[in-house]
Amino acid sequence: MEHNDTSSASSSRPLDLPHTLEDKKIKALPPACYYISDFITEEEEKAILDKVNTAPKARWRQLTHRRLQTWPSDLVKNTLLDARPLPDWLEQPVVARLLSIPLSDSQPENMFHDSPHQRPNHVLINEYPPNTGIMPHKDGGAYHPVVCTVSLGSALCLNLYKSKEDGALDLEPVWRILQEPRSLLITTADLYTEYLHGIEPIATDVELSEKTIVNWDLLRSPELYKDGLNQRRTRISLTYRDVLKVSKLGNKLGPMFKCP
Ligand SMILES: O=C(O)CCC(=O)C(=O)O
């Protein structure tokens, strides 16, 4: 099985794929949330970054502080109109590997076993140069509540927030997750529906320690952050999700409705 493939011929560092997701559970978080530090190799990271960075200009959507790509396309009214499969470079190795990891010894199914398409059908690619972040938010109703995020190029902290009783956002994060390059973070269930997530627009993540970072024990290289700091470089994230509604009509509308 793919998930037993713990080495790569030319890779300097082996993968660290667990026997089951249970082995990589972030224990301090409500169930269920997982962190795999070495989900892809450096060579795979480089190959994906090349594809992201050489995508046609029209693929990028520029927001005020950040740019992003959507594959196979944007959603329209929470619906995926373009039902083409993901391109090969987003499918392999990530999706195959995601689907190969069982939930636990007693649950041999993978994390998408109960999603409508039994696999992710959509990828959002976000670029975060230093000093760039994303406001605290929830992902909304378009997706099955399993979110798989692969980080490339740089580490940074994802913050989780809770609304106060009066509905206002509590600006102090409840938890912080440090995402290293080449890692996979999976969030599901309550973490998806009850909490907000966001990334602070800063150049350096501070006060990093086993007391402040919930996945400290699962990090590949905690020693890199022993001074409590992470100097950010540009981080690219790939967010894999299953969009609930896919329009059969979309592909019949012709190339006008398709992204390059
Ligand atoms: O880049 C990330 O890790 C988070 C992205 C995100 O929350 C979003 O695009 O909704």
Side-chain angles (χ1 to χ4, degrees):
M1 282 248 286
E2 162 85 23
H3 77 274
N4 289 327
D5 166 20
T6 52
S7 66
S8 165
S10 56
S11 163
S12 47
R13 192 181 166 94
L15 300 177
D16 180 24
L17 302 181
H19 175 59
T20 74
L21 277 184
E22 237 4 64
D23 300 344
K24 297 291 182 184
K25 193 169 188 156
I26 305 181
K27 295 183 193 76
L29 291 180
C33 184
Y34 310 93
Y35 179 81
I36 301 177
S37 61
D38 289 282
F39 185 70
I40 60 169
T41 65
E42 286 173 54
E43 288 73 18
E44 289 165 345
E45 176 187 38
K46 188 170 172 313
I48 301 172
L49 280 173
D50 279 353
K51 289 288 192 182
V52 171
N53 291 324
T54 58
K57 225 172 162 215
R59 264 284 166 195
W60 287 106
R61 179 142 56 95
Q62 184 68 50
L63 308 180
T64 314
H65 297 293
R66 183 167 51 88
R67 55 179 195 159
L68 54 86
Q69 297 179 21
T70 48
W71 292 88
S73 68
D74 277 347
L75 304 189
V76 178
K77 294 191 179 155
N78 279 357
T79 304
L80 186 56
L81 291 185
D82 183 349
R84 278 181 297 181
L86 294 171
D88 244 21
W89 59 273
L90 285 172
E91 192 72 33
Q92 298 287 351
V94 172
V95 176
R97 223 165 262 168
L98 285 176
L99 298 182
S100 76
I101 308 178
L103 284 168
S104 68
D105 283 332
S106 58
Q107 286 175 287
E109 305 88 14
N110 68 54
M111 73 201 84
F112 283 99
H113 75 281
D114 58 354
S115 87
H117 308 96
Q118 267 123 55
R119 57 190 299 116
N121 57 9
H122 191 259
V123 182
L124 179 61
I125 302 180
N126 276 300
E127 183 185 60
Y128 302 89
N131 287 312
T132 308
I134 187 166
M135 296 279 284
H137 65 283
K138 290 184 186 176
D139 282 351
Y143 309 97
H144 179 73
V146 170
V147 183
C148 298
T149 307
V150 177
S151 293
L152 310 171
S154 177
L156 56 63
C157 275
L158 180 80
N159 294 343
L160 296 167
Y161 303 86
K162 187 126 182 81
S163 302
K164 290 191 272 197
E165 300 244 311
D166 62 1
L169 177 70
D170 188 344
L171 291 174
E172 202 50 47
V174 216
W175 296 293
R176 293 162 77 208
I177 302 173
L178 184 60
Q179 290 171 272
E180 299 167 289
R182 302 185 294 287
S183 69
L184 168 70
L185 175 70
I186 305 173
T187 52
T188 70
D190 271 15
L191 268 187
Y192 183 93
T193 51
E194 301 298 314
Y195 295 85
L196 295 89
H197 55 277
I199 294 169
E200 271 193 275
I202 50 181
T204 310
D205 296 286
V206 298
E207 292 178 25
L208 308 177
S209 75
E210 57 191 321
K211 291 203 177 71
T212 59
I213 297 297
V214 277
N215 59 325
W216 191 263
D217 59 321
L218 296 170
L219 292 178
R220 168 200 312 136
S221 308
E223 70 284 356
L224 291 183
Y225 315 107
K226 63 178 187 302
D227 58 358
L229 303 176
N230 168 52
Q231 222 68 53
R232 291 190 191 171
R233 300 179 305 274
T234 295
R235 175 215 187 219
I236 299 276
S237 65
L238 314 178
T239 305
Y240 285 79
R241 287 174 287 202
D242 187 359
V243 178
L244 303 174
K245 280 196 247 162
V246 176
S247 165
K248 289 204 178 69
L249 200 60
N251 280 0
K252 296 200 182 110
L253 293 175
M256 290 289 287
F257 286 81
K258 288 182 179 166
C259 282

